[in-house]
Amino acid sequence: MVTSSSSVKVELLERTDAYVVATWRRLMLLVWRGQASVVGVERSRALFRPWAERQPGGAAFLIVVPRQRTGPPDEETRAAMQRAASAPGGSLKGMATLVEAEGFIAASVRAIMMRLQARGTQGPAPNVFRTPAEAAAWAAAVLQDREVTPEELAEAIRAAREG
């Protein structure tokens, strides 16, 4: 299913109450709507490979953590995250997490996410960002795509979240 706003076209690959997997340009988005789960991690991983292999020059993966408060992932979900990060495949150009929340707890979450993603990663270095602008700069550089802008990435995330 394709959803679009005035400036971006986002393809929704899977949507549940807990998460949305969508693509925009050569970026796959896993937008959590609530607590992270094994199912969401494994489904996004399964959808990424075949999609990324069709992208000229490879693709990147962005995880978007909701602004509302959620608990840390359980042990099974952490293990699924580690499996996904340790077997990235050749078409993965980069992986990042966007935690838009502010304050001490959000900063702690970003630090924990950086450690979780870095442990066992064999592919490109993981990144954790605070704003869509930071994530857009990373994605534009990794994908060598000047058309990835902060405004359009924020709009793509919004469209995916609402889709």
Side-chain angles (χ1 to χ4, degrees), residues 34-36 65 68-74 78 109:
Q35 187 66 40
V65 177
Q68 71 268 22
R69 195 175 197 161
T70 60
D74 61 28
R78 283 194 301 271
V109 167

Side-chain angles (χ1 to χ4, degrees), residues 24-94:
W24 172 68
R25 303 191 65 76
R26 292 185 302 136
L27 189 62
M28 180 170 281
L29 306 169
L30 170 57
V31 181
W32 292 108
R33 293 175 153 180
Q35 187 66 40
S37 68
V38 172
V39 171
V41 171
E42 291 183 348
R43 287 294 301 142
S44 64
R45 179 181 174 192
L47 291 166
F48 181 80
R49 283 204 173 158
W51 172 80
E53 288 171 1
R54 293 189 309 270
Q55 305 309 306
F61 193 93
L62 180 64
I63 302 160
V64 182
V65 177
R67 289 178 187 257
Q68 71 268 22
R69 195 175 197 161
T70 60
D74 61 28
E75 191 61 39
E76 279 184 72
T77 303
R78 283 194 301 271
M81 290 173 171
Q82 191 152 359
R83 283 191 304 276
S86 65
S91 52
L92 177 66
K93 296 299 176 192

Side-chain angles (χ1 to χ4, degrees), residues 89-113:
S91 52
L92 177 66
K93 296 299 176 192
M95 175 186 247
T97 301
L98 173 60
V99 181
E100 295 180 287
E102 297 290 334
F104 177 76
I105 292 173
S108 299
V109 167
R110 282 189 286 278
I112 290 167
M113 290 303 297

